[in-house]
Amino acid sequence: MASKLQQLQSKACQASQVIGKHGSSYYKQLLEKNKQYIQDPPTVEKCDHLAKQLFYTRLASIPGRNESFRKELDYVKNLWKNRQNLKVEDAGIAALFGLECFAWYCAGEIVGRGFTFTGYYV
């Protein structure tokens, strides 16, 4: 166990050294590549304007998302009506989707408990 811990510490040390050497150059390269998205000067008013713009853009996209949801729901209803014609592939995909949803639920519960598997801190 102690050897595994030492290996993990050495790997973490190596990773931090690589990040220390190349992190700032990557940061500068990333900013240079995406400079058209940077608001200069970054004022509170501009940030407030962008936040409102994002909020109302997302608000305006609700009808499109609602329409997409309705289409998906109609597709599932149609599959359920014709379930005698259901192929094994479709059932497998549905089972995998359900398993993925359950896995994300479990991951959210673990994160919500503070990354513990046994229970909540009291």
Side-chain angles (χ1 to χ4, degrees):
M1 183 71 178
S3 64
K4 293 283 185 186
L5 183 60
Q6 289 175 348
Q7 287 177 350
L8 183 63
Q9 285 176 338
S10 67
K11 294 276 187 191
C13 183
Q14 289 173 355
S16 66
Q17 288 173 353
V18 168
I19 290 171
K21 287 180 184 176
H22 304 293
S24 63
S25 64
Y26 175 73
Y27 176 75
K28 289 176 185 175
Q29 180 185 11
L30 185 67
L31 286 181
E32 185 64 32
K33 189 170 95 174
N34 296 302
K35 67 181 173 184
Q36 72 269 17
Y37 302 115
I38 297 173
Q39 295 296 319
D40 201 28
T43 61
V44 172
E45 292 82 17
K46 190 64 174 176
C47 289
D48 186 43
H49 173 72
L50 289 172
K52 284 182 182 178
Q53 191 175 14
L54 177 64
F55 174 75
Y56 286 110
T57 301
R58 288 191 175 169
L59 193 63
S61 72
I62 289 175
R65 286 190 268 156
N66 193 12
E67 182 64 30
S68 297
F69 175 73
R70 296 268 184 225
K71 286 180 184 177
E72 290 287 331
L73 191 60
D74 288 340
Y75 176 74
V76 170
K77 285 180 182 178
N78 190 23
L79 274 178
W80 187 252
K81 282 181 189 175
N82 302 323
R83 62 182 175 265
Q84 66 273 9
N85 299 334
L86 192 65
K87 293 185 264 177
V88 175
E89 294 98 17
D90 294 334
I93 289 171
L96 284 176
F97 178 73
L99 184 64
E100 182 183 4
C101 289
F102 180 71
W104 280 112
Y105 168 77
C106 290
E109 281 291 312
I110 291 168
V111 169
R113 287 191 297 250
F115 297 98
T116 64
F117 292 101
T118 56
Y120 294 96
Y121 294 121
V122 179

